Amino acid sequence: MSFNSVVFLFCFMPLALGLYYLVPGRAKNAVLLLESILFYCWTGITWLPLIAVLIIVNYIAGLLMQNASKASVRRAVLLLAVVISAASMVFFKYTNFLIDTINQISGAGLSSLTFLDVLPLGISYYSFKLISYVADVYTRQVEAERNPITFATYVILYPQLIVGPIVRYRDMAPALHKVKGRCTIRQAEAGAVMFVFGLAKKVILADSIAALWQDIISTSEGIGLANASTPLVWLGILAYSLQLYFDFAGFSEMSNGLSLMMGFECPANFNLPYISASITEFWRRWHITLSQFFRDYIYIPLGGNRRGPGRQILNMLVVWALTGLWHGANWNFICWGLYYFVLLVIEKNFLLKYLKKGRIWPHIYTLFFVVLGWGIFTANAAGAPLGLLLNRLFVPQGGISALYYLRNYGVLLVVCCLCSTPLPSWIWDKTKKVLPLRLLIFAAVAILCTAYVVAATGSTALYADF
């Protein structure tokens, strides 16, 4: 977490929750909207007009589609709303990438737009929330929201603003319209536990194991990737895989926990993806809300698997190219998306039936290709160019040994691996009937997290960059 995030965690969040609990039911959405706007503007108000305009456009689009009797009018409104939301995200995220690509191909020497160096906060997430909303209104899966405050609250809800998850309006609408009894003691307790355990994943596990990868790829404070032996590079990319998982899963649980404390039961974004026995299963467990968005709003509207094998492969190509591109404006992300496209095509057409029959080797196969995929994913990071990384991974060569790092990080690696399995949930469930033990575990984790947060003012949310 950055220093601003620490200030928010220890100052803003308790005050925000306290005020939210104290106000009457009819005022809760208005208070939550004001708190979300304050959080959005925490580091500046530059992009506040952008999200305000997008909220207004999609709010009006929903009402127009709800009331229009002609299908052609409803389709035109949907298309316009989706184009505006998607175009804003494309412009802010990819304009400089396009300029750089043109310069590299043609040597045109076009100047990048410096005001786009800092992206609007959360644009990748709230753009998809808006698109899913107007699409669901168009297909009559939900009724258009008539209260502008309620709609704006859904879009800009601060727990989901930075790193999601991408929660659909239909999942939040019942609670948004609940005036009495929105927040229960049971929800507050479960939300607090989810939030603290998510925080532990982020600040204790992710931030700690991140030091191993940084020690390997950093040329200023570490050894540099070119000096690492092949076993050490594999150890490092494994550490990065664990860091990315605990960072993103931790923030997703913090978001859902905080939302639950407010009375919103949101879908889980992760389900132990590293225990998967196929790449297909992995993507049912990793970033679940993003996978569902692309399935429901891109893959199925394109025809899914209903128009023959050739069209299915084309649809998958589109989805996975967009999945890679969504994560960032860089060719390594596009390559990463296409990498998974190839793996999934192979599985669906040949390998999956054999994977279902195996026991151990499908898990090894999945972990190998997932970890290798994270190497492609991080290839734009300073000190880890893809060519050098692949060379050190697959051309056996000497260098600084992995033994020193195993001595320093071995226990942490084992803890991280165990925490990516069902074991922690199993232990927590076993303590269900022993309330004093549960309270002791919760208090110990909360205190430990507090100590780590105070000491980790230079850390950031890794997935917020994507």
Side-chain angles (χ1 to χ4, degrees):
M1 292 183 180
S2 66
F3 179 72
N4 283 331
S5 298
V6 175
V7 173
F8 167 73
L9 180 66
F10 283 93
C11 299
F12 180 80
M13 194 186 79
L15 294 174
L17 276 176
L19 180 60
Y20 178 76
Y21 288 145
L22 288 173
V23 298
R26 293 189 181 277
K28 287 190 185 299
N29 287 345
V31 167
L32 189 52
L33 176 59
L34 290 174
E35 291 173 348
S36 298
I37 292 173
L38 177 60
F39 177 67
Y40 187 86
C41 299
W42 192 261
T43 57
I45 63 172
T46 304
W47 302 121
L48 183 60
L50 170 66
I51 194 171
V53 168
L54 290 174
I55 288 172
I56 293 170
V57 166
N58 286 272
Y59 169 73
I60 294 173
L63 293 178
L64 290 175
M65 286 188 292
Q66 184 73 37
N67 297 322
S69 57
K70 292 184 177 180
S72 59
V73 174
R74 296 176 62 248
R75 281 196 298 270
V77 173
L78 171 67
L79 180 61
L80 181 62
V82 170
V83 166
I84 291 174
S85 297
S88 66
M89 180 176 64
V90 169
F91 174 77
F92 286 99
K93 286 187 68 172
Y94 305 109
T95 297
N96 281 342
F97 171 61
L98 180 60
I99 291 173
D100 291 341
T101 302
I102 293 173
N103 288 338
Q104 291 173 8
I105 294 174
S106 66
L110 300 175
S111 299
S112 61
L113 305 180
T114 56
F115 71 91
L116 296 180
D117 290 343
V118 179
L119 292 178
L121 186 67
I123 191 170
S124 296
Y125 294 93
Y126 67 69
S127 296
F128 275 16
K129 290 174 77 172
L130 291 168
I131 291 171
S132 69
Y133 167 75
V134 292
D136 287 351
V137 172
Y138 173 78
T139 56
R140 306 293 193 190
Q141 295 186 58
V142 296
E143 291 189 1
E145 176 55 60
R146 298 188 179 277
N147 188 317
I149 292 177
T150 302
F151 180 67
T153 301
Y154 158 70
V155 176
I156 200 174
L157 188 69
Y158 70 85
Q160 302 167 3
L161 192 57
I162 299 178
V163 288
I166 304 166
V167 183
R168 304 182 199 193
Y169 170 77
R170 64 183 183 225
D171 293 326
M172 294 188 63
L176 284 167
H177 292 105
K178 195 172 185 180
V179 176
K180 294 183 179 179
R182 178 186 293 187
C183 313
T184 66
I185 296 297
R186 181 195 65 80
Q187 288 174 320
E189 290 176 353
V193 170
M194 191 183 301
F195 181 88
V196 168
F197 285 175
L199 182 61
K201 287 181 178 180
K202 162 60 183 168
V203 300
I204 298 177
L205 297 180
D207 290 353
S208 297
I209 200 64
L212 173 53
W213 180 236
Q214 289 303 314
D215 281 350
I216 294 172
I217 66 172
S218 175
T219 55
S220 57
E221 299 178 359
I223 63 173
L225 187 62
N227 299 315
S229 64
T230 295
L232 179 56
V233 176
W234 276 107
L235 186 67
I237 203 67
L238 173 63
Y240 177 77
S241 303
L242 292 167
Q243 176 201 359
L244 190 65
Y245 167 63
F246 287 116
D247 182 281
F248 194 19
F251 263 106
S252 294
E253 287 186 21
M254 290 165 66
S255 169
N256 282 358
L258 184 52
S259 297
L260 188 56
M261 283 190 272
M262 297 174 178
F264 303 104
E265 298 191 13
C266 301
N269 210 22
F270 286 87
N271 182 21
L272 303 173
Y274 288 164
I275 68 170
S276 302
S278 68
I279 300 299
T280 302
E281 182 185 357
F282 173 80
W283 277 104
R284 292 194 187 113
R285 293 174 175 269
W286 178 278
H287 207 340
I288 298 170
T289 58
L290 180 68
S291 299
Q292 290 174 341
F293 177 92
F294 278 112
R295 180 196 66 197
D296 294 343
Y297 301 107
I298 304 293
Y299 180 71
I300 291 177
L302 286 175
N305 59 0
R306 303 186 305 274
R307 299 184 180 180
R311 182 60 181 268
Q312 181 185 15
I313 291 175
L314 177 61
N315 294 340
M316 290 175 63
L317 174 62
V318 172
V319 165
W320 284 102
L322 291 175
T323 300
L325 195 58
W326 179 86
H327 282 82
N330 203 296
W331 284 106
N332 69 291
F333 294 121
I334 299 174
C335 291
W336 175 77
L338 296 178
Y339 167 84
Y340 274 109
F341 159 72
V342 172
L343 290 176
L344 288 168
V345 167
I346 293 172
E347 281 195 359
K348 288 182 181 298
N349 290 280
F350 168 70
L351 192 57
L352 200 57
K353 59 184 177 182
Y354 299 105
L355 291 170
K356 291 178 179 179
K357 297 177 182 179
R359 290 189 176 183
I360 303 300
W361 75 267
H363 296 279
I364 298 173
Y365 147 84
T366 304
L367 278 177
F368 173 81
F369 282 105
V370 167
V371 170
L372 180 59
W374 293 135
I376 301 172
F377 188 83
T378 191
N380 68 325
L386 182 59
L388 177 61
L389 179 62
L390 293 177
N391 177 267
R392 305 303 291 189
L393 285 172
F394 292 107
V395 180
Q397 48 201 293
I400 296 176
S401 173
L403 292 178
Y404 169 80
Y405 290 90
L406 277 174
R407 286 196 297 268
N408 287 348
Y409 291 96
V411 173
L412 180 60
L413 283 165
V414 171
V415 171
C416 287
C417 290
L418 291 175
C419 287
S420 62
T421 71
L423 180 61
S425 297
W426 180 83
I427 294 174
W428 182 250
D429 289 341
K430 288 295 182 182
T431 66
K432 185 178 293 186
K433 297 181 180 180
V434 190
L435 183 60
L437 180 58
R438 276 204 158 195
L439 291 174
L440 181 62
I441 294 173
F442 177 80
V445 173
I447 292 171
L448 193 59
C449 285
T450 303
Y452 271 82
V453 167
V454 171
T457 55
S459 178
T460 60
L462 187 63
Y463 225 81
D465 296 332
F466 311 126

